[in-house]
Each structure stands twice: as structure tokens, then as C-alpha cells.
Amino acid sequence: MSAALAHQQAQASQQTIDLPNQAYMLPQSVPMWPPAWWTWLIVAAIFLFIIGLLVICYRRHKKRTYRREALSSITQKTNDLSDKDCILLCHELIRRCLISEGKTETAALPSKTLFETLDKAMPEKRQFTPLGSDFINGPYKRQIELTINQRNAMIKNTCYWIRKHHA
């Protein structure tokens, strides 16, 4: 009996089903490619946006090269310098950063006025005036002795200003 049932199932699978209205022609399936014409506009806009973003990032990276050079200079040189030379280096790097940003008038100010001006845009914790007169008037004094904490605070504040300034 099972052989007869299997034979009957094989015959049923070989027979095709006759559908009514065979005279109608059905269209072929709609392909997914090529997409609609406006899809190319969207792809082009996205592509141009990405290129524009990359160009802006590259220009910003290139424009801020002076910051990276100043930070590497201050981290490499401060260990070997005396206290007075370290203060001179901090003053020099701050003024050079201002000149690189095109703020030559600000860079030409006397030290006391310069640091008062810079402190207006800095958070209270990172301002230069709390470092004392040794930092502000240090280049004009003959002999300066800084504590390790004063020296580290001076270097940290200078590095912070170099990274964060918007001259």
C-alpha cells in the first residue's frame, strides 16, 4: 500500500495545474537595479558632504599644527631648563601662539596686561595671575627660585592655554 501511495504522489507532483485565463501575459518581476533617478542625486550629495567634511578636518588639523609643536616643545624642554628659562619659554610659546593666530597686537602687550587679557577667557582654576609675580615678572628678575608645585602649575596652565585658546 505504501508503494501505491508513493506512486500516486509522484504522479501528482509531475502534473501541472491548469490555471484559468492562460491567455493573459503577466509582466516580469521589477528589478531592484537600477534605482530611481533621484537616488543618484542623494548618493552624490552624501559623497560631496563626506569629502567636504574631510577637507574641513584636514584644514583644521593643518591650521593647529603650531599648537602641537608648542606642546611638544614645552614638554621636551622644561625638564632641562632653569626656572627663569622655563618662565621665558612659557612666555615665548604663548606669544608665538598669539602671533600664529594673527593676534600680533595682543602678543606685543606688556606681560602684566597680556596675562590679564588672557585670564578673561580662562577658567578661574587655570588663570595666570594666581601664579604670582614670579611668573608674570619673572623674565625681568635676575634670580628666580620656584617650588616644584609652582613650576608644575605654570607648565600646566601654559599647556592648557595652548590647547584651549581661541585667540
Side-chain angles (χ1 to χ4, degrees), residues 1-164:
M1 234 182 126
S2 65
L5 185 62
H7 180 64
Q8 204 176 33
Q9 285 179 351
Q11 272 186 342
S13 65
Q14 289 177 356
Q15 292 176 347
T16 59
I17 301 174
D18 290 333
L19 295 174
N21 303 326
Q22 287 184 349
Y24 293 115
M25 293 180 55
L26 297 175
Q28 295 179 356
S29 62
V30 178
M32 289 297 293
W33 197 259
W37 65 270
W38 48 265
T39 307
W40 295 112
L41 294 176
I42 293 173
V43 169
I46 291 171
F47 185 70
L48 289 175
F49 177 75
I50 290 172
I51 288 176
L53 200 62
L54 290 174
V55 166
I56 289 170
C57 289
Y58 176 72
R59 283 186 180 170
R60 183 173 189 234
H61 178 76
K62 195 172 180 181
K63 183 179 176 184
R64 293 182 173 199
T65 302
Y66 74 92
R67 291 180 192 225
R68 290 187 300 278
E69 289 174 358
L71 287 172
S72 68
S73 175
I74 200 168
T75 54
Q76 290 173 358
K77 293 181 181 179
T78 52
N79 295 334
D80 303 332
L81 296 176
S82 67
D83 290 338
K84 183 174 182 172
D85 291 336
C86 188
I87 292 171
L88 283 170
L89 178 67
C90 289
H91 282 237
E92 176 188 350
L93 291 175
I94 289 170
R95 291 179 191 274
R96 288 174 74 188
C97 287
L98 286 168
I99 291 170
S100 295
E101 283 284 324
K103 302 291 184 181
T104 55
E105 298 85 19
T106 308
L109 291 173
S111 294
K112 185 174 182 177
T113 312
L114 171 68
F115 290 114
E116 287 174 357
T117 305
L118 297 179
D119 283 347
K120 292 177 184 174
M122 300 265 291
E124 195 170 318
K125 182 180 174 184
R126 298 291 187 176
Q127 291 181 351
F128 291 111
T129 49
L131 296 175
S133 66
D134 287 338
F135 177 72
I136 294 172
N137 299 321
Y140 311 113
K141 293 183 179 178
R142 177 174 277 176
Q143 192 71 347
I144 290 188
E145 293 294 324
L146 297 174
T147 65
I148 294 173
N149 291 338
Q150 286 176 318
R151 186 177 172 121
N152 289 339
M154 176 185 67
I155 293 169
K156 280 183 183 178
N157 288 2
T158 304
C159 288
Y160 178 84
W161 183 85
I162 291 170
R163 276 193 316 272
K164 300 293 182 176

